[in-house]
mmCIF file of all heavy atoms in Angstrom:
data_model
loop_
_atom_site.group_PDB
_atom_site.id
_atom_site.type_symbol
_atom_site.label_atom_id
_atom_site.label_comp_id
_atom_site.label_asym_id
_atom_site.label_seq_id
_atom_site.Cartn_x
_atom_site.Cartn_y
_atom_site.Cartn_z
ATOM 1 N N PHE A 76 -34.912 -7.226 39.961
ATOM 2 C CA PHE A 76 -35.877 -7.642 38.896
ATOM 3 C C PHE A 76 -35.314 -8.750 37.968
ATOM 4 O O PHE A 76 -36.107 -9.372 37.315
ATOM 5 C CB PHE A 76 -36.312 -6.409 38.042
ATOM 6 C CG PHE A 76 -36.968 -5.377 38.980
ATOM 7 C CD1 PHE A 76 -36.256 -4.250 39.354
ATOM 8 C CD2 PHE A 76 -38.261 -5.518 39.304
ATOM 9 C CE1 PHE A 76 -36.917 -3.305 40.145
ATOM 10 C CE2 PHE A 76 -38.873 -4.551 40.069
ATOM 11 C CZ PHE A 76 -38.212 -3.441 40.522
ATOM 12 N N LEU A 77 -34.020 -8.876 37.908
ATOM 13 C CA LEU A 77 -33.409 -9.811 37.001
ATOM 14 C C LEU A 77 -33.229 -11.193 37.630
ATOM 15 O O LEU A 77 -32.983 -12.145 36.902
ATOM 16 C CB LEU A 77 -32.075 -9.309 36.511
ATOM 17 C CG LEU A 77 -32.085 -8.113 35.642
ATOM 18 C CD1 LEU A 77 -30.674 -7.739 35.308
ATOM 19 C CD2 LEU A 77 -32.913 -8.199 34.419
ATOM 20 N N ILE A 78 -33.255 -11.269 38.908
ATOM 21 C CA ILE A 78 -33.064 -12.628 39.532
ATOM 22 C C ILE A 78 -33.904 -13.752 39.076
ATOM 23 O O ILE A 78 -33.440 -14.811 38.791
ATOM 24 C CB ILE A 78 -33.043 -12.442 41.095
ATOM 25 C CG1 ILE A 78 -31.840 -11.782 41.574
ATOM 26 C CG2 ILE A 78 -33.188 -13.835 41.789
ATOM 27 C CD1 ILE A 78 -31.686 -11.461 43.025
ATOM 28 N N PRO A 79 -35.270 -13.565 38.923
ATOM 29 C CA PRO A 79 -36.093 -14.612 38.435
ATOM 30 C C PRO A 79 -35.631 -15.083 37.040
ATOM 31 O O PRO A 79 -35.639 -16.353 36.720
ATOM 32 C CB PRO A 79 -37.435 -14.038 38.373
ATOM 33 C CG PRO A 79 -37.416 -12.955 39.397
ATOM 34 C CD PRO A 79 -36.031 -12.356 39.338
ATOM 35 N N GLY A 80 -35.258 -14.256 36.150
ATOM 36 C CA GLY A 80 -34.766 -14.614 34.817
ATOM 37 C C GLY A 80 -33.443 -15.340 34.934
ATOM 38 O O GLY A 80 -33.202 -16.254 34.087
ATOM 39 N N MET A 81 -32.517 -14.922 35.866
ATOM 40 C CA MET A 81 -31.274 -15.652 35.953
ATOM 41 C C MET A 81 -31.552 -17.071 36.530
ATOM 42 O O MET A 81 -30.853 -18.004 35.999
ATOM 43 C CB MET A 81 -30.339 -14.889 36.925
ATOM 44 C CG MET A 81 -29.784 -13.599 36.346
ATOM 45 S SD MET A 81 -28.503 -12.868 37.295
ATOM 46 C CE MET A 81 -29.462 -11.656 38.199
ATOM 47 N N VAL A 82 -32.446 -17.224 37.433
ATOM 48 C CA VAL A 82 -32.810 -18.526 37.945
ATOM 49 C C VAL A 82 -33.357 -19.385 36.782
ATOM 50 O O VAL A 82 -32.975 -20.543 36.653
ATOM 51 C CB VAL A 82 -33.729 -18.510 39.140
ATOM 52 C CG1 VAL A 82 -34.292 -19.869 39.526
ATOM 53 C CG2 VAL A 82 -33.031 -17.813 40.357
ATOM 54 N N GLN A 83 -34.214 -18.852 36.030
ATOM 55 C CA GLN A 83 -34.837 -19.530 34.921
ATOM 56 C C GLN A 83 -33.786 -19.960 33.862
ATOM 57 O O GLN A 83 -33.740 -21.074 33.353
ATOM 58 C CB GLN A 83 -35.963 -18.736 34.278
ATOM 59 C CG GLN A 83 -36.731 -19.561 33.201
ATOM 60 C CD GLN A 83 -37.436 -20.814 33.777
ATOM 61 O OE1 GLN A 83 -38.007 -20.729 34.850
ATOM 62 N NE2 GLN A 83 -37.291 -21.888 33.042
ATOM 63 N N SER A 84 -32.857 -19.044 33.606
ATOM 64 C CA SER A 84 -31.776 -19.333 32.601
ATOM 65 C C SER A 84 -30.953 -20.441 33.122
ATOM 66 O O SER A 84 -30.500 -21.297 32.317
ATOM 67 C CB SER A 84 -30.947 -18.133 32.428
ATOM 68 O OG SER A 84 -31.619 -17.113 31.820
ATOM 69 N N SER A 85 -30.652 -20.492 34.511
ATOM 70 C CA SER A 85 -29.869 -21.567 35.065
ATOM 71 C C SER A 85 -30.630 -22.946 34.811
ATOM 72 O O SER A 85 -29.966 -23.995 34.509
ATOM 73 C CB SER A 85 -29.667 -21.343 36.568
ATOM 74 O OG SER A 85 -29.048 -22.367 37.197
ATOM 75 N N LYS A 86 -31.930 -22.952 35.043
ATOM 76 C CA LYS A 86 -32.716 -24.183 34.871
ATOM 77 C C LYS A 86 -32.726 -24.625 33.439
ATOM 78 O O LYS A 86 -32.621 -25.850 33.121
ATOM 79 C CB LYS A 86 -34.223 -23.900 35.397
ATOM 80 C CG LYS A 86 -34.359 -23.878 36.810
ATOM 81 C CD LYS A 86 -35.778 -23.642 37.112
ATOM 82 C CE LYS A 86 -36.050 -23.555 38.634
ATOM 83 N NZ LYS A 86 -37.512 -23.256 38.904
ATOM 84 N N ASP A 87 -32.887 -23.694 32.521
ATOM 85 C CA ASP A 87 -32.890 -24.021 31.077
ATOM 86 C C ASP A 87 -31.517 -24.547 30.581
ATOM 87 O O ASP A 87 -31.537 -25.614 29.865
ATOM 88 C CB ASP A 87 -33.229 -22.766 30.291
ATOM 89 C CG ASP A 87 -34.701 -22.312 30.411
ATOM 90 O OD1 ASP A 87 -35.452 -23.087 30.936
ATOM 91 O OD2 ASP A 87 -34.982 -21.102 30.020
ATOM 92 N N GLU A 88 -30.505 -24.034 31.147
ATOM 93 C CA GLU A 88 -29.180 -24.509 30.793
ATOM 94 C C GLU A 88 -28.946 -25.924 31.307
ATOM 95 O O GLU A 88 -28.430 -26.750 30.614
ATOM 96 C CB GLU A 88 -28.114 -23.595 31.316
ATOM 97 C CG GLU A 88 -26.627 -24.037 31.023
ATOM 98 C CD GLU A 88 -26.270 -24.124 29.558
ATOM 99 O OE1 GLU A 88 -26.950 -23.515 28.692
ATOM 100 O OE2 GLU A 88 -25.301 -24.858 29.215
ATOM 101 N N MET A 89 -29.433 -26.128 32.562
ATOM 102 C CA MET A 89 -29.261 -27.533 33.147
ATOM 103 C C MET A 89 -30.115 -28.526 32.344
ATOM 104 O O MET A 89 -29.612 -29.637 32.122
ATOM 105 C CB MET A 89 -29.751 -27.494 34.602
ATOM 106 C CG MET A 89 -29.558 -28.768 35.351
ATOM 107 S SD MET A 89 -30.136 -28.707 37.023
ATOM 108 C CE MET A 89 -29.499 -27.191 37.681
ATOM 109 N N ARG A 90 -31.353 -28.063 32.003
ATOM 110 C CA ARG A 90 -32.197 -29.025 31.154
ATOM 111 C C ARG A 90 -31.593 -29.342 29.862
ATOM 112 O O ARG A 90 -31.622 -30.431 29.459
ATOM 113 C CB ARG A 90 -33.569 -28.233 31.073
ATOM 114 C CG ARG A 90 -34.647 -29.054 30.459
ATOM 115 C CD ARG A 90 -35.951 -28.292 30.471
ATOM 116 N NE ARG A 90 -36.476 -28.115 31.734
ATOM 117 C CZ ARG A 90 -36.727 -26.992 32.326
ATOM 118 N NH1 ARG A 90 -36.372 -25.815 31.648
ATOM 119 N NH2 ARG A 90 -37.228 -26.880 33.527
ATOM 120 N N ARG A 91 -30.998 -28.292 29.165
ATOM 121 C CA ARG A 91 -30.379 -28.473 27.850
ATOM 122 C C ARG A 91 -29.187 -29.467 27.990
ATOM 123 O O ARG A 91 -29.048 -30.397 27.236
ATOM 124 C CB ARG A 91 -29.886 -27.151 27.336
ATOM 125 C CG ARG A 91 -29.296 -27.294 25.912
ATOM 126 C CD ARG A 91 -28.582 -26.057 25.526
ATOM 127 N NE ARG A 91 -27.372 -25.865 26.310
ATOM 128 C CZ ARG A 91 -26.210 -26.409 26.211
ATOM 129 N NH1 ARG A 91 -26.111 -27.465 25.343
ATOM 130 N NH2 ARG A 91 -25.185 -26.143 26.901
ATOM 131 N N GLN A 92 -28.322 -29.299 29.038
ATOM 132 C CA GLN A 92 -27.228 -30.187 29.238
ATOM 133 C C GLN A 92 -27.689 -31.582 29.520
ATOM 134 O O GLN A 92 -27.034 -32.547 28.992
ATOM 135 C CB GLN A 92 -26.322 -29.629 30.319
ATOM 136 C CG GLN A 92 -25.505 -28.429 29.942
ATOM 137 C CD GLN A 92 -24.699 -27.874 31.083
ATOM 138 O OE1 GLN A 92 -24.761 -28.341 32.219
ATOM 139 N NE2 GLN A 92 -23.794 -27.005 30.760
ATOM 140 N N LEU A 93 -28.650 -31.724 30.354
ATOM 141 C CA LEU A 93 -29.102 -33.073 30.676
ATOM 142 C C LEU A 93 -29.689 -33.825 29.433
ATOM 143 O O LEU A 93 -29.408 -34.997 29.239
ATOM 144 C CB LEU A 93 -30.138 -33.055 31.810
ATOM 145 C CG LEU A 93 -29.571 -32.709 33.159
ATOM 146 C CD1 LEU A 93 -30.751 -32.506 34.142
ATOM 147 C CD2 LEU A 93 -28.608 -33.832 33.658
ATOM 148 N N ALA A 94 -30.518 -33.051 28.632
ATOM 149 C CA ALA A 94 -31.100 -33.637 27.496
ATOM 150 C C ALA A 94 -30.078 -33.973 26.379
ATOM 151 O O ALA A 94 -30.119 -35.024 25.799
ATOM 152 C CB ALA A 94 -32.087 -32.680 26.854
ATOM 153 N N GLN A 95 -28.969 -33.144 26.291
ATOM 154 C CA GLN A 95 -28.065 -33.327 25.287
ATOM 155 C C GLN A 95 -27.098 -34.538 25.679
ATOM 156 O O GLN A 95 -26.783 -35.333 24.849
ATOM 157 C CB GLN A 95 -27.159 -32.068 25.106
ATOM 158 C CG GLN A 95 -26.166 -32.077 24.073
ATOM 159 C CD GLN A 95 -25.450 -30.801 23.865
ATOM 160 O OE1 GLN A 95 -25.204 -30.119 24.867
ATOM 161 N NE2 GLN A 95 -25.144 -30.415 22.619
ATOM 162 N N ASN A 96 -26.734 -34.549 26.918
ATOM 163 C CA ASN A 96 -25.827 -35.620 27.434
ATOM 164 C C ASN A 96 -26.523 -36.898 27.726
ATOM 165 O O ASN A 96 -25.753 -37.920 27.855
ATOM 166 C CB ASN A 96 -24.970 -35.149 28.593
ATOM 167 C CG ASN A 96 -24.102 -33.947 28.274
ATOM 168 O OD1 ASN A 96 -23.741 -33.716 27.132
ATOM 169 N ND2 ASN A 96 -23.796 -33.084 29.253
ATOM 170 N N GLY A 97 -27.794 -36.883 27.903
ATOM 171 C CA GLY A 97 -28.476 -38.042 28.385
ATOM 172 C C GLY A 97 -28.134 -38.456 29.777
ATOM 173 O O GLY A 97 -28.316 -39.506 30.200
ATOM 174 N N ALA A 98 -27.547 -37.518 30.546
ATOM 175 C CA ALA A 98 -27.054 -37.812 31.861
ATOM 176 C C ALA A 98 -28.252 -37.577 32.821
ATOM 177 O O ALA A 98 -28.491 -36.491 33.307
ATOM 178 C CB ALA A 98 -25.985 -36.864 32.282
ATOM 179 N N VAL A 99 -29.019 -38.617 33.014
ATOM 180 C CA VAL A 99 -30.197 -38.529 33.883
ATOM 181 C C VAL A 99 -29.943 -39.273 35.127
ATOM 182 O O VAL A 99 -29.656 -39.505 35.982
ATOM 183 C CB VAL A 99 -31.524 -39.057 33.231
ATOM 184 C CG1 VAL A 99 -32.672 -38.858 34.065
ATOM 185 C CG2 VAL A 99 -31.704 -38.390 31.928
#
């Protein structure tokens, strides 16, 4: 039951890092 949330957390972290670093 936790796997979907873990996948979403992974996406959110990646999105945060990309937005912060400007590494697009």
